[in-house]
Amino acid sequence: MPFKILAINPGSTSTKVAVYEDTDLVTEIKVDHTTQELSRFDTVADQMNYRKQLIVDALSQKGIRPDGFDAVIGRGGLLKPIPSGVYEIDGPMLDDLRSARYGAHASNLGALIAESLAGGNAARAFIADPVVVDEMEDIAKLTGLAGIKRRSVFHALNQKAIARGYAARQGVPYESLNLIVAHLGGGISVGAHRRGRVVDVNNALDGDGPFSPERAGRIPAASLARMIASGHYTWDDISKKLAGKGGLVALLGTNDVREAIDRAEAGDKAASLALNAMCYNIAKEIGAMAAVLCGEVDAVILTGGIARNAEVCQKVGDRCRFIAPVVPMPGENELEALAANAFGVLSGALQPMRYGES
């Protein structure tokens, strides 16, 4: 009998779930959440029972019992820095997520919901490759200010899955390749994968790196310091400018790349400049990661939702194709990646780790 796996990916405005038998998709469900619905909860963790019940109801409508799974795996949230891998959900992990010890984000709900659904049903509960996967070398973390270090916060789940998928297509181990993977979405992360480890990557959560549809990206430090010191903005104002209301939102009033392209094609010079500048900065970050890998790059992979846009891929590729072949592998693939990791454990191919022991 195939293993039955439930994968859960909570986002800020939706919860995506998928049912797999081994690694074959059975059904996929998206439950949307309005701002009004979520505003009645004081914290992200408080949303757990509400979102869990919506998942149970959605599965019931498909004739699927929530107690019939061998494993439930959720998207990993903001935890302490940990190595890449599959983690069995344990008490210390749940405590850190409930208290938002390392930050509040909708992805924190992945483990909370997975553990609750698995509990008492003889199912195992996991997360895999959360955004805090940290394989960065010390040299990449050091900055010119004592007490401030660069952090590894990026689209680890998709970057790792896409890199392994590319290696499988080439018929070689992921650990034998040097890759640059650029995840292009509301936030953009560009990682240098050296022989199976992401040795450097920009902090996409905080808006570091290229500016994106919603992130301000790397901006002149003194200019930002003057803005903060002016007294005209609260910390919440600044935070939103850096992540949420930065990037294309700040420049064009939209986070939709397709709209930006349509406006550019209709003659909107501001839209054309903003779009070209975003692609320019993505390519520049890819170039920086090529330097990290000493120019020894087997492929540059473009992934994420924006990688479905041929024009963006073309603009980025034109600037960095000299580094290595540029390979678009669009989509987020997070549910598929979660299911593959859970199957790896259930089938004995992967050994799960314990967060409390890491």
Side-chain angles (χ1 to χ4, degrees):
M1 294 289 291
F3 292 113
K4 292 186 178 179
I5 299 167
L6 177 64
I8 304 170
N9 181 10
S12 57
T13 59
S14 68
T15 303
K16 299 175 184 177
V17 297
V19 176
Y20 288 83
E21 291 185 349
D22 290 346
T23 56
D24 296 324
L25 178 65
V26 175
T27 187
E28 187 171 341
I29 303 167
K30 180 183 178 186
V31 181
D32 292 312
H33 312 297
T34 66
T35 302
Q36 184 178 8
E37 288 171 338
L38 299 182
S39 65
R40 57 194 174 96
F41 299 101
D42 293 332
T43 68
V44 169
D46 291 340
Q47 300 173 20
M48 195 277 288
N49 286 326
Y50 167 72
R51 294 210 195 199
K52 172 189 169 184
Q53 190 58 51
L54 290 176
I55 292 171
V56 171
D57 293 344
L59 291 172
S60 179
Q61 290 175 12
K62 298 273 189 179
I64 300 171
R65 291 172 57 89
D67 57 357
F69 295 100
D70 297 290
V72 184
I73 185 165
R75 181 183 176 194
L78 296 177
L79 295 161
K80 66 183 178 182
I82 54 178
S84 173
V86 186
Y87 286 80
E88 198 116 30
I89 296 172
D90 58 15
M93 179 189 296
L94 295 172
D95 289 342
D96 284 351
L97 293 172
R98 290 192 186 105
S99 66
R101 180 179 179 184
Y102 297 97
H105 190 270
S107 61
N108 290 11
L109 291 161
L112 299 177
I113 297 172
E115 190 275 338
S116 182
L117 285 171
N121 293 325
R124 299 176 71 179
F126 307 108
I127 65 166
D129 284 337
V131 295
V132 293
V133 164
D134 185 359
E135 299 171 331
M136 286 174 64
E137 298 175 343
D138 289 342
I139 195 172
K141 294 181 180 180
L142 197 66
T143 74
L145 285 181
I148 297 181
K149 288 189 174 182
R150 295 181 63 232
R151 294 172 60 208
S152 177
V153 184
F154 70 110
H155 303 90
L157 180 63
N158 189 47
Q159 283 215 22
K160 285 282 187 176
I162 286 294
R164 292 189 184 103
Y166 173 80
R169 277 170 36 177
Q170 304 307 306
V172 298
Y174 166 51
E175 293 77 11
S176 71
L177 296 175
N178 283 349
L179 303 170
I180 297 172
V181 182
H183 179 106
L184 312 180
I188 291 173
S189 63
V190 182
H193 296 237
R194 177 189 290 143
R195 304 289 187 261
R197 294 177 59 83
V198 183
V199 296
D200 200 353
V201 66
N202 63 291
N203 182 339
L205 179 67
D206 289 346
D208 182 39
F211 75 79
S212 73
E214 297 178 352
R215 309 289 203 274
R218 192 173 295 122
I219 55 179
S223 297
L224 178 61
R226 280 193 290 270
M227 178 180 285
I228 295 170
S230 72
H232 297 312
Y233 304 97
T234 65
W235 171 244
D236 188 55
D237 293 334
I238 296 295
S239 296
K240 288 178 180 176
K241 283 179 177 293
L242 294 176
K245 294 186 177 180
L248 295 186
V249 172
L251 298 171
L252 302 177
T254 182
N255 65 357
D256 190 333
V257 172
R258 292 167 299 183
E259 179 184 335
I261 290 173
D262 288 343
R263 285 164 56 175
E265 291 177 347
D268 185 330
K269 292 184 179 179
S272 179
L273 178 60
L275 185 66
N276 286 331
M278 185 180 75
C279 295
Y280 172 92
N281 278 274
I282 294 167
K284 188 162 69 170
E285 192 75 7
I286 290 170
M289 293 305 161
V292 169
L293 297 173
C294 300
E296 298 175 0
V297 184
D298 295 294
V300 175
I301 302 172
L302 306 181
T303 186
I306 297 176
R308 293 190 178 96
N309 190 289
E311 183 167 346
V312 170
C313 290
Q314 181 70 40
K315 288 178 181 293
V316 173
D318 285 347
R319 290 188 178 274
C320 59
R321 199 169 284 112
F322 72 95
I323 297 169
V326 177
V327 184
M329 295 179 67
E332 296 177 348
N333 307 299
E334 289 175 331
L335 292 169
E336 180 182 349
L338 287 171
N341 277 285
F343 176 71
V345 174
L346 295 176
S347 64
L350 296 175
Q351 182 66 33
M353 295 183 279
R354 300 283 292 182
Y355 176 77
E357 299 170 359
S358 61

